[in-house]
Amino acid sequence: MSTLVAIDRLVKRIGITEQHILFEHVNAAIDKGERIAILGASGQGKSTLLRILSLLDVPDEGDMLWKGTSYRDLDPRTWRMRMTYVAQQAIMLAGSVEDNLKTVHLLHRKPYDQDLARRLLAGMGLENLDLHKRAGDLSGGEKQRISLIRSMMLRPEVLLLDEVTASLDRTNARLVEEQLTHWSQQEGTSLVWVTHDQEQARSFSTTTWFMGNQTLLERKPTASFFNRPDTDLARQFIMQPAPSAE
């Protein structure tokens, strides 16, 4: 597989008057078509790393290279078209559901593919959704799936997913996982997915990144990570009981 993104010695500090390290010495790569799960306890900087990858935040040290070119030498708009971020809390634009799907395409100067929109809606259990409905009136789970479809339709090379099924019930979460896995296999899109759900990580990912001790502590094939993690911290994490379903 060809490498799309190289992450080189990233450091992120937090705090205003007194800064401390959130993470440091983060080195990794994102290959074409790779499906990466980012795991780790809360407070390790998983979502911050995702935001840095999307240029919604910046590292304090280190570099990120897109096919060998530093993010500092690329137009941020071009970078974000190649690597698109989907937040945990979906934001709907003014207007209808269809307006939301179309507006982003207009902003990025890409044609709107109505047939693709319908296929993705059906794949995520939204085939009966009224596209003329005001987007602001959707449920939280519907907003999340529309936000995800909106990003997928731009056909970025990398999708950065921040706990995008957290607001969904188990059935719809599985639909989204299946749709994204199929999309990745069909389109060659790389997925980088922050999740707290170990079963989800096992089912969709080819690679697992584990964050702990203020760094990216492990990065290895998912089956290998869950069968034989390299560190005690990762072993303890895997042994934790899964949160009960509501």
Side-chain angles (χ1 to χ4, degrees):
M1 291 185 290
S2 61
T3 296
L4 298 177
V5 184
I7 301 167
D8 183 29
R9 295 172 293 177
L10 286 191
V11 176
K12 184 62 182 177
R13 301 182 183 93
I14 56 174
I16 300 175
T17 56
E18 292 186 18
Q19 289 199 328
H20 66 273
I21 297 290
L22 179 63
F23 54 71
E24 60 184 345
H25 308 310
V26 171
N27 298 287
I30 302 169
D31 291 336
K32 183 175 177 59
E34 191 173 20
R35 301 191 299 276
I36 299 167
I38 306 182
L39 297 176
S42 296
Q44 294 299 314
K46 302 183 298 298
S47 293
T48 300
L49 177 59
L50 213 64
R51 288 177 59 82
I52 289 173
L53 285 169
S54 65
L55 296 188
L56 295 174
D57 201 342
V58 293
D60 292 298
E61 297 177 31
D63 204 356
M64 299 180 293
L65 299 97
W66 177 270
K67 299 180 181 178
T69 302
S70 171
Y71 76 96
R72 298 182 181 91
D73 299 322
L74 288 171
D75 183 339
R77 182 175 174 273
T78 300
W79 182 278
R80 292 183 186 122
M81 286 180 67
R82 294 168 177 172
M83 289 210 295
T84 300
Y85 174 80
V86 184
Q88 181 179 355
Q89 299 296 327
I91 297 174
M92 293 290 99
L93 306 173
S96 69
V97 173
E98 191 166 46
D99 289 335
N100 267 260
L101 296 176
K102 287 181 175 179
T103 300
V104 177
H105 290 75
L106 292 173
L107 290 173
H108 288 277
R109 298 172 186 171
K110 288 196 170 189
Y112 175 69
D113 188 337
Q114 188 175 57
D115 290 338
L116 176 59
R118 287 172 176 165
R119 290 200 303 274
L120 291 175
L121 287 163
M124 294 195 188
L126 296 173
E127 61 270 28
N128 296 319
L129 184 66
D130 180 4
L131 296 184
H132 301 293
K133 184 175 182 177
R134 198 170 75 91
D137 293 336
L138 298 175
S139 70
E142 289 170 338
K143 287 178 181 177
Q144 189 60 63
R145 282 174 283 173
I146 292 298
S147 175
L148 181 55
I149 290 169
R150 188 171 62 191
S151 294
M152 291 170 71
M153 289 183 65
L154 294 173
R155 285 191 160 97
E157 294 185 65
V158 182
L159 273 170
L160 304 168
L161 309 167
D162 195 357
E163 296 192 62
V164 293
T165 59
S167 63
L168 304 180
D169 60 34
R170 182 67 65 181
T171 299
N172 284 317
R174 291 292 176 258
L175 281 176
V176 170
E177 290 167 27
E178 291 168 5
Q179 185 77 17
L180 282 167
T181 299
H182 176 71
W183 182 261
S184 173
Q185 293 168 340
Q186 182 182 56
E187 298 281 327
T189 307
S190 305
L191 309 178
V192 185
W193 192 335
V194 170
T195 178
H196 286 287
D197 186 337
Q198 292 188 36
E199 287 306 310
Q200 184 177 76
R202 287 177 187 260
S203 67
F204 88 85
S205 69
T206 57
T207 305
T208 294
W209 294 357
F210 178 73
M211 296 191 74
N213 292 342
Q214 298 177 303
T215 192
L216 181 53
L217 200 59
E218 298 197 32
R219 52 189 187 280
K220 58 195 303 184
T222 292
S224 177
F225 173 79
F226 280 102
N227 289 334
R228 188 174 294 179
D230 292 333
T231 61
D232 288 338
L233 192 61
R235 281 190 284 273
Q236 293 167 10
F237 180 84
I238 291 171
M239 292 295 291
Q240 291 175 356
S244 58
E246 294 183 2

